Amino acid sequence: MTFKNPIIGLCQQATYQISATRVDQCPPDIGYEVAFAGRSNAGKSSALNTLTHASLARTSKTPGRTQMLNFFQLDEERRLVDLPGYGYAKVPIPLKQHWQQHLEAYLGSRESLVGIVLLMDIRHPLTEFDLLMLDWGKASHMPIHVLLTKADKLAFGAAKNALLKVQRDIKKGWGDNASVQLFSAPKRQGIEEAHKVLAQWLGLLEDEAANDVE
């Protein structure tokens, strides 16, 4: 019998909910929430759109376009959050400081946050921002799942080698708090694996198990 991940149907009905520049503008802090983080131009918006089979997040060849906390509702209890991208030099310093302040406030106070999907360009993984997020996740006991994006930009063997290296580095520095996979939005690579992580974090696998028992 083939297992059908319940996250797929929810992702297909994902809708834009609200954008917030401050934590007090976020939706009620209830239910389950998974946030997507990454440096500017790491492919965060493309990954969100691919995982939801929709054009929810705005994609652009100009890095740094995501300047707010953007919330997308899956159902009454579950949300995905597109966090501001970091590291783009042309963004004014005051705006960078605003993003940092409110991102830290969001990460530190959001009770419904159950996991972080951290996107890294496979050609430039484990940047300073990535390390900060991994450190924060470990200190906060917040699981992090890394998508090595743009895997199609490398040959198969090179992509696998990059994956193995990042897996080794993360295991050494952050133990079991973080997991890693390959991902490519254009090739639709890694979608099923990412969906399984989302389903687990969002409490859907527990619901599925309960329904099986009934």
Side-chain angles (χ1 to χ4, degrees):
M1 182 176 178
T2 303
F3 169 72
K4 184 176 180 181
N5 195 330
I7 191 66
I8 297 174
L10 281 186
C11 281
Q12 289 174 340
Q13 64 187 38
T15 56
Y16 169 78
Q17 186 176 15
I18 194 173
S19 295
T21 57
R22 303 191 311 270
V23 174
D24 59 10
Q25 297 173 340
C26 295
D29 193 2
I30 57 175
Y32 303 84
E33 203 163 86
V34 172
F36 285 66
R39 279 181 57 86
S40 298
N41 216 25
K44 182 160 52 69
S45 295
S46 295
L48 260 170
N49 290 338
T50 301
L51 290 171
T52 58
H53 306 286
S55 297
L56 292 177
R58 183 176 183 178
T59 57
S60 172
K61 293 187 177 180
T62 303
R65 291 299 292 270
T66 303
Q67 301 179 7
M68 295 184 286
L69 300 163
N70 296 306
F71 291 80
F72 304 101
Q73 189 170 32
L74 302 181
D75 62 18
E76 291 183 357
E77 294 185 326
R78 299 171 176 89
R79 296 169 299 279
L80 303 180
V81 191
D82 188 8
L83 301 180
Y86 271 68
Y88 186 50
K90 293 184 179 180
V91 173
I93 290 176
L95 185 55
K96 286 183 180 179
Q97 293 171 339
H98 173 84
W99 289 353
Q100 182 175 356
Q101 176 186 351
H102 292 288
L103 179 58
E104 288 176 354
Y106 167 81
L107 293 174
S109 65
R110 200 71 176 165
E111 294 291 337
S112 54
L113 184 63
V114 294
I116 302 282
V117 176
L118 180 58
L119 294 101
M120 303 181 192
D121 186 325
I122 192 170
R123 300 165 297 179
H124 314 288
L126 297 172
T127 64
E128 182 180 0
F129 172 75
D130 300 331
L131 299 178
L132 287 172
M133 287 300 300
L134 287 163
D135 285 344
W136 174 85
K138 183 177 180 180
S140 305
H141 305 288
M142 179 68 63
I144 292 181
H145 185 63
V146 175
L147 299 187
L148 291 177
T149 62
K150 307 184 183 183
D152 57 291
K153 300 292 186 182
L154 298 181
F156 177 79
K160 291 293 288 186
N161 287 337
L163 172 64
L164 291 172
K165 183 181 185 308
V166 174
Q167 283 177 330
R168 285 195 300 268
D169 291 344
I170 285 182
K171 184 71 174 178
K172 182 178 179 180
W174 298 274
D176 295 329
N177 196 71
S179 50
V180 193
Q181 69 162 97
L182 296 176
F183 191 87
S184 168
K187 299 295 184 180
R188 302 187 65 78
Q189 176 185 0
I191 295 176
E192 183 176 355
E193 187 175 350
H195 274 161
K196 286 181 179 178
V197 173
L198 290 177
Q200 181 180 0
W201 286 353
L202 293 170
L204 290 166
L205 297 185
E206 298 171 5
D207 293 350
E208 189 75 10
N211 290 335
D212 289 344
V213 171
E214 292 175 5

